[in-house]
Amino acid sequence: MKRAFPILAVLTGVLLSYAMYQALVVAPTEQTMGDVQRIFYYHVPSAWTAFILFAINFVASIVYLIRRNAKADMLALVTAEVGVVFCTVNLVTGPIWARPVWGIWWTWDLRLTLTLVLWLIYVSYIVLRRFSSSGQTPLLAAVLAVFGALDVPLVYFSIWFFRTQHPQPVIGGGGSLDPRMWHALLINWLAFSCFGALVCWSRYRLEVLRRDFDETLALEALLEPRSSKARSS
Amino acid sequence: MSYLYAAYIATWTIHITYLATLLRRYTRLRNEIAEFKGRIEDK
């Protein structure tokens, strides 16, 4: 497993470079928006990766609520954290794309507002995990994650059911996309998914190490008074 | 074009910043473990 990580990291690096080449060089220039449309190849895959991570967080939280499984709890924590990073990318690249195309950085449109709410829910989740020392924290966080996940389909389907400023979805939205654009989009999604998986893997290893060490410290603290008593008697 | 570059730079800045925080947390934990081992060996 230790050897697999650097190999996968190199492969992901190569894939990310190839994906960037596809997005910036190979994909054709969009006629109306011009080169700025190439933000699409980072904006959309980041959103999709965040949605997948939040979906995993939802499943892991359900498993934790049913079985009180520590691994499920760690997976939920890790996917929420990395999901927030990808959601942040989505929220930052969106306005940068909107400014030259719509003439505004932000509008309180349903899709945009729901995405911001989604980001805020998962940021609250991370803040809860980071700063609450109660033994009930994983349970409360799992409940929050279950409710937070309800916002994911709302974000996705908001542009199907309501009139919004945001363009229609790429999949099932009725619009047509040049095959080379599709290719660039899917390669970028694959690259970002692999990158997200690798980051989750590192974060999971860190969490395992942190919990093992905290357990060792707690055990030492429990045994310490006994050993000092034994020494004094 | 400047918007395009800004978006790509912003994306990688966010990812690299997160990776840097992970690295910092790893380093801090490794130091704590080393300190703990040193304390155990002293006893």
Side-chain angles (χ1 to χ4, degrees):
Chain A
M1 287 293 266
K2 272 186 178 177
R3 272 188 195 170
F5 188 83
I7 294 168
L8 287 175
V10 170
L11 287 177
T12 305
V14 171
L15 191 59
L16 282 166
S17 310
Y18 176 65
M20 192 188 270
Y21 171 71
Q22 285 287 325
L24 292 176
V25 181
V26 178
T29 307
E30 208 268 344
Q31 286 178 348
T32 325
M33 290 183 265
D35 275 328
V36 79
Q37 182 270 345
R38 293 178 197 276
I39 293 174
F40 169 76
Y41 304 111
Y42 268 32
H43 179 72
V44 176
S46 298
W48 288 353
T49 310
F51 288 167
I52 290 171
L53 291 169
F54 292 149
I56 297 171
N57 169 273
F58 172 71
V59 174
S61 299
I62 295 276
V63 171
Y64 179 77
L65 286 174
I66 297 169
R67 296 189 182 168
R68 297 290 191 272
N69 182 306
K71 282 183 181 171
D73 179 49
M74 284 193 282
L75 184 63
L77 170 66
V78 165
T79 48
E81 210 174 281
V82 182
V84 163
V85 174
F86 278 95
C87 197
T88 307
V89 169
N90 182 248
L91 279 170
V92 168
T93 53
I96 297 174
W97 188 7
R99 182 70 182 90
V101 176
W102 295 346
I104 45 169
W105 292 101
W106 182 267
T107 174
W108 293 102
D109 162 280
L110 195 62
R111 165 57 82 88
L112 275 67
T113 309
L114 283 174
T115 310
L116 181 64
V117 168
L118 182 72
W119 183 82
L120 286 170
I121 290 170
Y122 283 96
V123 167
S124 335
Y125 176 95
I126 294 167
V127 170
L128 173 70
R129 303 291 311 231
R130 184 73 59 86
F131 297 106
S132 169
S133 54
S134 155
Q136 297 291 310
T137 305
L139 183 72
L140 293 171
V143 174
L144 176 64
V146 169
F147 283 106
L150 295 176
D151 194 30
V152 174
L154 285 179
V155 171
Y156 190 77
F157 291 110
S158 58
I159 50 176
W160 289 43
F161 300 126
F162 301 95
R163 275 167 60 106
T164 70
Q165 180 125 1
H166 195 280
Q168 285 299 298
V170 181
I171 296 173
S176 62
L177 202 64
D178 186 287
R180 285 170 297 169
M181 287 181 168
W182 259 116
H183 184 251
L185 176 67
L186 293 178
I187 287 289
N188 271 282
W189 185 31
L190 179 68
F192 276 113
S193 300
C194 291
F195 178 65
L198 268 183
V199 177
C200 282
W201 187 358
S202 314
R203 179 66 187 86
Y204 189 86
R205 276 166 51 184
L206 174 65
E207 190 61 26
V208 170
L209 208 60
R210 164 56 68 192
R211 288 188 186 199
D212 284 351
F213 181 59
D214 285 347
E215 245 172 58
T216 312
L217 281 182
L219 268 175
E220 196 222 6
L222 273 174
L223 296 172
E224 184 67 20
R226 286 185 198 170
S227 56
S228 52
K229 265 184 198 172
R231 256 181 268 141
S232 60
S233 63
Chain B
M1 277 302 259
S2 59
Y3 286 102
L4 174 65
Y5 291 137
Y8 277 52
I9 290 168
T11 299
W12 286 111
T13 305
I14 292 165
H15 283 306
I16 290 165
T17 305
Y18 180 64
L19 289 178
T21 63
L22 277 190
L23 193 68
R24 207 188 62 220
R25 281 146 88 174
Y26 256 123
T27 312
R28 198 191 303 153
L29 183 59
R30 215 173 43 214
N31 290 343
E32 280 178 41
I33 292 170
E35 197 182 301
F36 175 74
K37 276 183 182 167
R39 218 169 56 219
I40 292 291
E41 280 166 11
D42 286 346
K43 282 182 186 175

